[in-house]
Amino acid sequence: MAGSKTILFVEDDKPIAEMYARVLERQGFHVEYAYNGAEGLRKALSKHYDLILLDIMMPEKTGIEVLGELRGSDGKGSPETKIVILTNLAQDKTSQEALKAQADGYIIKADIVPSQLAGLISKLL
Amino acid sequence: MKSTRFKRQTLALFFIVSVIPALIVGAVWYVYTQTTTLNFLFLDFNSFVLPVIMVGIIPAVILSFIFAELLTKPVREILKAAIRLSNGDFSSRFGTEGRGEFGEINHALDKVGAKLQQTLSQANSETALIEAERGKLHTVLNSMTDGVFALDRSGRIILFNKAASELTGRSIGEVAGQLAEKVMPFRSEGELVMTRFLALGAGKEHKVGQWKGLELYRADGHSLTVNVEAVVLKDDPNGIAALVTFQDLTKVHQLEEMKIDFVALAAHELRTPLTEIKGYLDILDTEAKSLTKAQKAFLVQAISSANQLGNLMHNLLNVSRIEHGELSYQPELINYRSFIETSEEPLMDRAIQQNRILTFHIPKEPIPIMGDPSALREVIDNLISNAIIHTAADTGKIDITVEIDRHSVITTVSDNGVGIPASAIKHLFTKFFRVNEYKSTTHGTGLGLYICKSIVNAHGGNISVQSTEGKGSAFTYILPRHIVASSKSGEDNKVTITRGAHGWIKNHPVR
C-alpha cells in the first residue's frame, strides 16, 4: 500500500534526512530529496508528490516560505499533496504560521523517532 | 566728603575757641610791653597787631589744626572702616588701640564686623550647600534614563528632564509652560488616559497612578510604548501639583525578545543532536536482531535516557516560556471527553511499554469546556509520567477518572505508588522542587507539576493532591465547564487539530 506513495523530503541536514529515509524506505515509501528550500520548491512544482516533509531552517528558502508558495495566498494550492513540517523549532509562533499556511502537520523532530514518523505518515496518507 | 565737612566744622570750632584767648593774650602782652599811656592810646600796627598775630593767633591756628587733626582722625578712621565694611570687606578691623570712647566704639564696631562676617560666611556656605543640592538634583534628574516632568496647578509643565526631552524629541524650551495634555499626551488605544487623574485630584489629595504600555508620540511622529507613573501632590509648597515619570519600553522589549529568541535557538541547536541520538537508537532497536540480553538492556537504557533528556529540555523550555509569558494558550471550545479519549491510545501504549496498568474512567456524555488542547495534554502527560515514575513495574496501577458536576469537570490521576511525605506536599507545585526521599531513586526535573499548575490556573481551574506515604497519590485538577446556551456542545469539529507538546497533525493525535 505504502509502496505507491511518493514522498519529497526537503532537509538541508543530510544525516537526518538519511536517517528518516532509511526507515521510510523500509516501510515501502518512495523518497526523493531536496537539500534546500529553493530546490524543494522546484521539485515540488515539477511533479506530484503524495507528501512533502519540510524542514524550516534551510538555506535559500525556509520551509514556511516553501509552504506558503505551494499553498498560495488562498491556501488552496497543491490540494492533492499533504505537507508536513518536520523541524526542531518548537515555538508556538512558528507552529501557528504553519497552521495558517495550511500545513497538514507540524512535527518536532527531537520528539519523535523514525518509526513513529513512519507510523504517522501511514495514517496520514 | 563727610569726613572733610566734619574736619572743617571741628577746625572752625577750634579756631574760634583759640582765636579769642589769642587776642586776649596778645592784648595783655601789648599792655605789658607799653611804657607810656600815649603809646597805649595810639595803636600802631607793628607794636600791637604783629605781636597779637605772632604770639596769639599763629600758635592758636597751629594748635587748632593739630587738635582738629587729632580729634577727627579716629572718627575718620572709623568712617573709612565703616565704608569698607559696607562694601563687604571684613578683612580690615577697626583696631582696638583707641582709648576711651573711641576705643569702645572701635571695639563695638569690630564686634559688629566680626558678627556680620560670621553671619555672612554662614549664609554663603548655606547658599553653597543649596547650590550643591540643586546641582545634585539637577544631575540626578538629568542622568535618569526615565523621563520626568512636573506640572503646576494649571497642568502646565514646569520641569522637564533630559531623558524626557530625548525620549520625546522635544526641547525643554519648547514644552515649558505648555499644557502637559497637549505636548505629552499618553494614550491607550487612542484614548487619552491621564486627564481625569491629573485634573480631579490636583492639590486635594495625594495619590499615585500607574499605567502600563501607553502610547506616546515623539515630536517626529514616531510612537513610543511607555510605562507611566504619576504622583499628584497635596499642597506642595514649591508649586508642583503633579510629577510624572515614564519609562521607554522599547529597549526592555527588545532585550526580552532577544532572550526568548536565544532560548528558542539554543533549544533548536540542542534538539538537533538529540534527534539523531534518538533516531539511530530507534533504528538500532528495530534492526538489531542478534543482541544479547545485556546488550538489549543497554539499548533500552540508552533510549530511556535520551527520552529523559528530551523531556528535560521540553520542560525547561516550557518554564522559560511561562516565565516570559510567551506560552500562549489558545482556548477553544472542545469536548473534554473526546480530548481524553484521543489521549487514551498513546498513554496506554506508554503504560504497557513500562508494565503499568492504566485504566480510564470517562463519562459517556460530551463535556464542553474552553481549553487549549495542547496545554491540557501537557498536564495529563506530566501527571502520567509522575505516576509511572513513582509506581513499581508490574504491580503499578494508574487510574484516570473524569467526573462532572454542574460547574466543573474533575480529573483525577491516582496511583498505588510510593506516595508523598506530608512535609513535601505544600512545596510540590513549586518550581524545581523534588521530594528528597526519591531524588536518588527517580529521575525528574521538578518542573512538571509547576507546569501543570501554571496551565490549570491559566484555564481558571486548580490542582491539588492527596497522598498517603507508601499507599499512593491522587492528583486532581478541576476545570470550569463551558455552559452553552445553544445546542452547541463542543462536539468535535469536522477537522480536529491535535496540537500536542509534540507538534500536531490534522485529524490525528501525535504519539
Side-chain angles (χ1 to χ4, degrees), chain A residues 15-16 19-20 22-23 26 88 90-92 95-96 99 102-107 109-111 113-115 123, chain B residues 264 268 271-272 275-276 278-280 282-283 287 321 327-328 330 497 499 501-506 508-509:
Chain A
I16 285 197
M19 180 182 85
Y20 287 119
R22 180 186 178 94
V23 177
R26 285 191 171 220
N88 264 328
Q91 287 156 297
D92 291 344
S95 166
Q96 288 300 310
L99 183 65
Q102 297 300 317
D104 294 281
Y106 190 97
I107 294 169
K109 288 175 196 163
D111 290 340
V113 292
S115 57
K123 280 186 196 170
Chain B
H268 176 265
R271 279 196 205 99
T272 304
T275 304
E276 289 188 55
K278 283 177 73 173
Y280 283 111
D282 179 58
I283 291 173
E287 296 184 9
R321 287 148 101 196
L327 197 62
S328 53
Q330 274 123 9
I497 292 161
R499 290 194 292 120
H502 308 275
W504 51 267
I505 290 262
K506 278 182 183 168
H508 296 282

Side-chain angles (χ1 to χ4, degrees), chain B residues 143-422:
Chain B
S143 312
M144 284 173 77
T145 50
D146 289 356
V148 178
F149 62 92
L151 314 179
D152 64 7
R153 296 254 171 274
S154 58
R156 290 174 195 282
I157 293 176
I158 50 173
L159 182 150
F160 201 70
N161 80 341
K162 202 170 143 201
S165 176
E166 283 169 0
L167 289 173
T168 57
R170 294 175 201 279
S171 71
I172 293 159
E174 210 177 310
V175 295
Q178 297 287 316
L179 281 172
E181 204 183 286
K182 285 211 173 130
V183 286
M184 298 292 293
F186 293 107
R187 290 171 204 273
S188 173
E189 288 166 8
E191 297 288 316
L192 281 172
V193 282
M194 288 163 59
T195 317
R196 277 186 71 199
F197 179 84
L198 291 175
L200 284 178
K204 287 183 190 123
E205 51 168 339
H206 182 95
K207 56 179 182 174
V208 181
Q210 284 178 323
W211 297 264
K212 284 189 192 283
L214 297 187
E215 202 176 34
L216 177 70
Y217 280 93
R218 284 174 49 87
D220 60 15
H222 286 103
S223 81
L224 294 176
T225 307
V226 291
N227 280 352
V228 182
E229 187 170 302
V231 184
V232 169
L233 302 167
K234 184 178 181 279
D235 305 327
D236 178 60
N238 306 306
I240 294 177
L243 195 68
V244 182
T245 317
F246 61 101
Q247 183 191 22
D248 179 20
L249 294 182
T250 322
K251 277 180 196 161
V252 178
H253 280 170
Q254 278 171 352
L255 214 65
E256 203 61 24
E257 262 169 39
M258 272 169 67
K259 220 156 80 179
I260 290 167
D261 286 348
F262 171 76
V263 171
L265 200 72
H268 176 265
E269 293 308 306
L270 288 170
R271 279 196 205 99
T272 304
L274 183 70
T275 304
E276 289 188 55
I277 294 170
K278 283 177 73 173
Y280 283 111
L281 283 174
D282 179 58
I283 291 173
L284 202 59
D285 190 35
T286 327
E287 296 184 9
K289 302 292 176 204
S290 57
L291 292 180
T292 64
K293 210 179 168 192
Q295 284 169 336
K296 178 76 184 166
F298 298 157
L299 190 58
V300 168
Q301 185 57 44
I303 290 170
S304 153
S305 294
N307 286 338
Q308 233 174 63
L309 184 60
N311 287 338
L312 172 64
M313 277 163 45
H314 179 76
N315 276 350
L316 276 173
L317 193 67
N318 265 348
V319 168
S320 143
R321 287 148 101 196
I322 288 170
E323 314 251 288
H324 289 109
E326 204 243 350
L327 197 62
S328 53
Y329 301 112
Q330 274 123 9
E332 50 191 281
L333 186 61
I334 57 166
N335 177 1
Y336 190 71
R337 190 201 59 188
S338 313
F339 164 77
I340 290 287
E341 279 170 357
T342 55
S343 314
E344 208 170 322
E345 193 193 316
L347 289 176
M348 277 294 193
D349 287 350
R350 217 161 121 199
I352 291 163
Q353 236 175 26
Q354 311 257 355
N355 291 319
R356 272 36 167 213
I357 302 155
L358 178 63
T359 319
F360 282 79
H361 312 270
I362 317 170
K364 295 265 184 297
E365 67 263 50
I367 311 166
I369 66 159
M370 286 302 288
D372 181 325
S374 68
L376 293 175
R377 204 168 301 285
E378 292 271 313
V379 178
I380 282 279
D381 272 2
N382 269 304
L383 293 180
I384 296 292
S385 293
N386 275 348
I388 290 176
I389 289 170
H390 295 106
T391 50
D394 301 326
T395 57
K397 244 178 84 38
I398 302 159
D399 289 274
I400 297 181
T401 311
V402 178
E403 294 163 293
I404 43 172
D405 66 16
R406 270 186 73 181
H407 301 290
S408 36
V409 47
I410 304 136
T411 310
T412 306
V413 176
S414 54
D415 64 60
N416 62 346
V418 289
I420 303 153

Side-chain angles (χ1 to χ4, degrees), chain B residues 119-135:
Chain B
T119 313
L120 211 66
S121 69
Q122 213 170 357
N124 274 340
S125 67
E126 272 166 25
T127 312
L129 211 68
I130 291 166
E131 277 301 318
E133 287 302 314
R134 250 177 65 109

